[in-house]
Amino acid sequence: QQDHIVPPPCSQALGDHVGTTDYSEMALPCGHVGVFVGEKSQKVVGAEVAEWLLARGDQRKSTATGK
């Protein structure tokens, strides 16, 4: 939300260019460096990304095996 190098409208535009409708965004009160070095951001981002991947890993496995 506070990134002057990659402002939110630039990163949000990515959603129009990915090859899937399964797209999520997470707004954080920091710049892109803060996502990686900020203690609070690391806890939030890591948990959210893990949850997102785990949910989709089960879906993809079911789709691939037909179950």
Side-chain angles (χ1 to χ4, degrees):
Q1 291 175 333
Q2 301 172 0
D3 199 325
H4 65 280
I5 295 172
V6 184
C10 291
S11 61
Q12 291 164 345
L14 178 65
D16 295 333
H17 302 285
V18 295
T20 181
T21 56
D22 188 6
Y23 174 82
S24 299
E25 292 183 3
M26 180 185 348
L28 297 168
C30 59
H32 67 277
V33 173
V35 169
F36 297 102
V37 299
E39 180 180 347
K40 185 176 180 182
S41 294
Q42 284 183 352
K43 291 177 184 175
V44 171
V45 173
E48 290 286 330
V49 169
E51 184 177 313
W52 192 91
L53 290 171
L54 287 170
R56 280 138 189 91
D58 289 344
Q59 289 175 0
R60 292 178 200 274
K61 182 187 278 186
S62 298
T63 303
T65 61
K67 297 180 183 176

